[in-house]
Amino acid sequence: MKKLLILGFSTLLFLGCGSSSNKKSNSQVNEIENVDPAEYASTITSEELKTMLYKYASDEFEGRNTGEKGQKMAVEYLKEKYQALDIPSPLGGEDYFQEVPLEKQRVSQAKVSVNGKSYESYKDQIVLAASSSINISADEIIFVGYGIDDATYSDYKNIDVTDKIVLAKAGEPKDSLGNYITSGKTENTKWTNGRQAISSKREAAKANGAKALLYLDSESFPRYAPYYQRQAASGATGRLSLKSDTDKLLMLMIDENLAHALYPKITENSAPMFLNVNVNLDVENQSESIVSENVVAYIKGSEKPDEIIIISAHLDHEGIKNGEIYNGADDDGSGTVAILEIAEAFKKAEKDGHGPKRTMLFLHVTGEEKGLLGSKHYADNDPIFPLEDTVADLNIDMIGRTDPKRKVGTRNYIYLIGSDKLSSELHTISEEANSKYVNMELDYKFNDDNDPNRFYYRSDHYNFAKNNIPVIFYFNGTHDDYHQPSDTADKIEYDLLETRTRFVFYTAWEVANRAERIVVDKASE
């Protein structure tokens, strides 16, 4: 069902949003005659938000860990809410659940031999990624230097590694001035920055067709090996991944002892070359398939039903750790109940004959805490509505508290991230909806491209933004209870939750009812 994104919006007129409530704006943001959306926003109340959140973030739901009992209870709760509101599912009938197939990883172990000599698990090598049990033998491997494949520098240039075992080492070459070659700067890049470097080099090997990557990282191995050994001994499960993303590339991290057996000059040389060495990799993979669920409900557009506005939030949290329940009231119970209130407001408008012109999809995604899995599945594998027809995603993740580190400005604020990154119009609509209806302080502190927190990449909107779908991420910032058992419903500031939820509703109302679809004027390639 995956569709190609079509960026054919450049011919649309850019028409600014109006701020006067007495006449239409040039963009005709609100084309529904004689309708004041404040009437419907007033159904969003702190009392209803509080009642729902005390239930949703209660111990009964056991922290809503992806794939576990509490998360299953959470999705049933959401389904019942939509049924009570008489808001249907786009899947039809009683089915409000988009299944998300996942794989729960356990630590795999490998038997490795080089020229007949064996190298032990956890002492000489550990398995970082394996999709299945597998045995690979080869009389030749390819050394690919640092394993970098970048527009400015590539170790894979003019080398065919298809279906080969490749050997790479940590690090990145620098120029004579001490700058990294890929960036021309001294700051670490994705090729040198810890876990990101491991991921980047794995993706480079996979993209070039390698079937296995042996990776020398002398700094990380002494830290990784004991951790992996403890995990294996305890039988603990590792990360969750989308089944469709299960890594088809076998990747082992190795120590210098094994690396030098493969290539004695690996630390001195970086030039790619073929190595005549007999290698056998025998990997035992242990994993468990599980299914989680996104919850979906929708209100069909009255005039432009094929144009979709998504309101999203993640339904999961951290579950139970060391006997303590991580309730996740702010993260992201606050976003979850906000969507329910927004849906109720749009439903009341529809019953009054003022339903949104464009279709509203209320999307509660699973597995955000495990790597944005539910939204990734929707965007990459199974978009219920074609991505090219998706106008915008308004994503709500933590809007019930305040940031204790925010020392300047009023209490009545919200952090906005991403509103101007793909569509100037969406940003303008958001600004004017705020001025017209709620007058909050809009803080763009974390919208900076150089924000070290990288929040733009850390919530579910990103899986839409990467497909050139305009987004806004609504966020109150972190606090001392972030990802702690103490993130409980009694600490939510319900007046702020009400105001912020109404702001999202007003923005969605304007986007849904304007004459023309918003223009994507900053699309990335």
Side-chain angles (χ1 to χ4, degrees):
M1 192 172 170
K2 189 174 181 181
K3 303 293 195 302
L4 294 175
L5 181 65
I6 299 173
L7 295 175
F9 312 138
S10 59
T11 58
L12 297 179
L13 296 178
F14 174 62
L15 300 169
C17 309
S19 60
S20 170
S21 59
N22 298 319
K23 63 180 181 179
K24 288 185 183 179
S25 67
N26 289 336
S27 63
Q28 302 178 10
V29 168
N30 181 11
E31 285 281 294
I32 300 179
E33 297 290 347
N34 303 316
V35 176
D36 183 0
E39 175 184 351
Y40 304 111
S42 67
T43 67
I44 298 169
T45 66
S46 58
E47 291 79 10
E48 290 184 358
L49 290 162
K50 183 175 184 178
T51 298
M52 289 190 292
L53 190 52
Y54 263 82
K55 175 73 172 180
Y56 194 75
S58 67
D59 287 355
E60 178 184 354
F61 286 76
E62 298 183 355
R64 309 186 303 278
N65 197 15
T66 301
E68 297 186 1
K69 175 187 172 184
Q71 182 257 303
K72 304 295 184 181
M73 295 176 66
V75 298
E76 290 292 343
Y77 174 85
L78 296 172
K79 174 182 176 178
E80 291 170 6
K81 285 294 182 183
Y82 283 113
Q83 289 178 321
L85 290 169
D86 195 26
I87 298 176
S89 166
L91 303 176
E94 300 290 306
D95 186 7
Y96 284 76
F97 302 152
Q98 179 189 39
E99 290 192 348
V100 181
L102 302 171
E103 189 164 85
K104 185 180 290 186
Q105 302 286 335
R106 294 181 185 272
V107 175
S108 300
Q109 296 188 53
K111 296 178 181 177
V112 176
S113 66
V114 177
N115 295 328
K117 181 178 179 180
S118 297
Y119 292 85
E120 299 178 29
S121 290
Y122 314 119
K123 178 182 177 183
D124 301 306
Q125 44 82 14
I126 52 176
V127 179
L128 295 186
S131 62
S132 61
S133 296
I134 189 172
N135 182 272
I136 302 174
S137 294
D139 292 323
E140 179 185 73
I141 67 173
I142 303 175
F143 176 55
V144 289
Y146 294 101
I148 295 171
D149 190 11
D150 193 84
T152 56
Y153 172 89
S154 177
D155 288 306
Y156 290 91
K157 188 176 181 180
N158 301 322
I159 294 181
D160 183 4
V161 300
T162 304
D163 206 31
K164 300 291 187 179
I165 300 173
V166 297
L167 171 66
K169 62 181 179 180
E172 177 182 353
K174 295 181 178 181
D175 62 21
S176 60
L177 298 176
N179 297 312
Y180 288 118
I181 290 177
T182 60
S183 66
K185 299 178 181 179
T186 57
E187 294 81 11
N188 282 347
T189 74
K190 70 176 184 178
W191 303 107
T192 50
N193 192 20
R195 291 175 61 184
Q196 189 178 19
I198 294 172
S199 175
S200 298
K201 295 184 180 186
R202 181 179 69 236
E203 291 304 311
K206 184 163 62 173
N208 281 278
K211 65 180 177 182
L213 169 62
L214 306 177
Y215 182 61
L216 170 62
D217 189 338
S218 301
E219 290 188 8
S220 297
F221 190 87
R223 293 185 290 107
Y224 275 60
Y227 172 77
Y228 274 62
Q229 188 169 24
R230 288 195 301 270
Q231 292 292 99
S234 68
T237 56
R239 65 184 180 91
L240 280 177
S241 61
L242 284 175
K243 205 154 193 179
S244 60
D245 280 352
T246 301
D247 211 326
K248 299 300 187 287
L249 176 81
L250 173 64
M251 182 176 182
L252 275 66
M253 183 184 288
I254 64 177
D255 72 344
E256 288 195 7
N257 185 41
L258 174 51
H260 282 100
L262 293 165
Y263 179 37
K265 295 183 178 181
I266 188 171
T267 52
E268 303 101 86
N269 295 347
S270 301
M273 64 178 63
F274 292 86
L275 303 173
N276 294 316
V277 59
N278 180 265
V279 177
N280 184 265
L281 310 174
D282 188 7
V283 178
E284 180 184 356
N285 174 259
Q286 300 182 47
S287 62
E288 175 187 354
S289 295
I290 63 171
V291 175
S292 190
E293 301 84 14
N294 293 333
V295 179
V296 289
Y298 84 128
I299 295 175
K300 188 174 182 179
S302 60
E303 294 183 20
K304 301 175 183 289
D306 293 333
E307 295 185 11
I308 316 301
I309 315 294
I310 297 177
I311 314 290
S312 63
H314 70 91
L315 60 88
D316 62 308
H317 194 56
E318 294 283 319
I320 300 174
K321 298 179 180 180
N322 299 318
E324 291 191 279
I325 297 174
Y326 286 61
N327 299 104
D330 194 22
D331 183 17
D332 187 26
S334 61
T336 301
V337 298
I339 291 185
L340 290 172
E341 284 288 87
I342 291 167
E344 181 184 19
F346 273 109
K347 185 63 179 180
K348 185 175 189 306
E350 183 189 48
K351 287 180 176 178
D352 289 349
H354 307 309
K357 288 184 175 183
R358 293 174 174 84
T359 294
M360 306 300 304
L361 176 65
F362 307 107
L363 175 62
H364 301 262
V365 292
T366 189
E368 189 269 355
E369 301 289 3
K370 310 301 182 185
L372 315 184
L373 301 181
S375 58
K376 190 174 192 296
H377 179 68
Y378 182 99
D380 290 1
N381 302 330
D382 188 22
I384 294 171
F385 295 100
L387 295 186
E388 64 263 32
D389 294 336
T390 303
V391 175
D393 172 52
L394 307 182
N395 182 54
I396 312 169
D397 192 353
M398 299 177 62
I399 60 166
R401 299 277 295 270
T402 56
D403 181 355
K405 299 183 182 68
R406 188 175 184 271
K407 303 299 184 182
V408 178
T410 69
R411 171 178 174 271
N412 187 34
Y413 77 95
I414 188 73
Y415 291 126
L416 295 188
I417 301 171
S419 63
D420 63 347
K421 292 190 183 298
L422 289 166
S423 172
S424 301
E425 281 189 296
L426 180 59
H427 179 72
T428 301
I429 289 168
S430 170
E431 287 271 332
E432 294 189 355
N434 178 61
S435 298
K436 185 175 180 181
Y437 297 117
V438 293
N439 200 30
M440 298 180 67
E441 184 176 339
L442 306 184
D443 192 328
Y444 297 98
K445 172 183 178 180
F446 297 121
N447 193 52
D448 189 326
D449 289 341
N450 296 315
D451 169 36
N453 298 285
R454 295 176 62 80
F455 287 126
Y456 179 66
Y457 303 94
R458 290 171 53 184
S459 192
D460 294 294
H461 61 280
Y462 180 68
N463 282 316
F464 297 98
K466 73 182 185 185
N467 285 290
N468 288 322
I469 295 169
V471 301
I472 302 178
F473 171 22
Y474 301 88
F475 180 52
N476 54 222
T478 59
H479 41 70
D480 290 342
D481 301 307
Y482 173 64
H483 281 193
Q484 297 297 321
S486 51
D487 181 9
T488 50
D490 59 299
K491 295 180 180 177
I492 299 296
E493 300 178 56
Y494 289 95
D495 60 330
L496 292 180
L497 180 55
E498 176 188 285
T499 301
R500 291 163 176 170
T501 303
R502 289 184 179 187
F503 174 42
V504 180
F505 166 76
Y506 282 126
T507 303
W509 178 277
E510 301 290 354
V511 175
N513 292 312
R514 70 197 314 268
E516 302 292 342
R517 176 174 174 161
I518 60 173
V519 177
V520 183
D521 59 344
K522 298 181 179 181
S524 58
E525 295 182 0

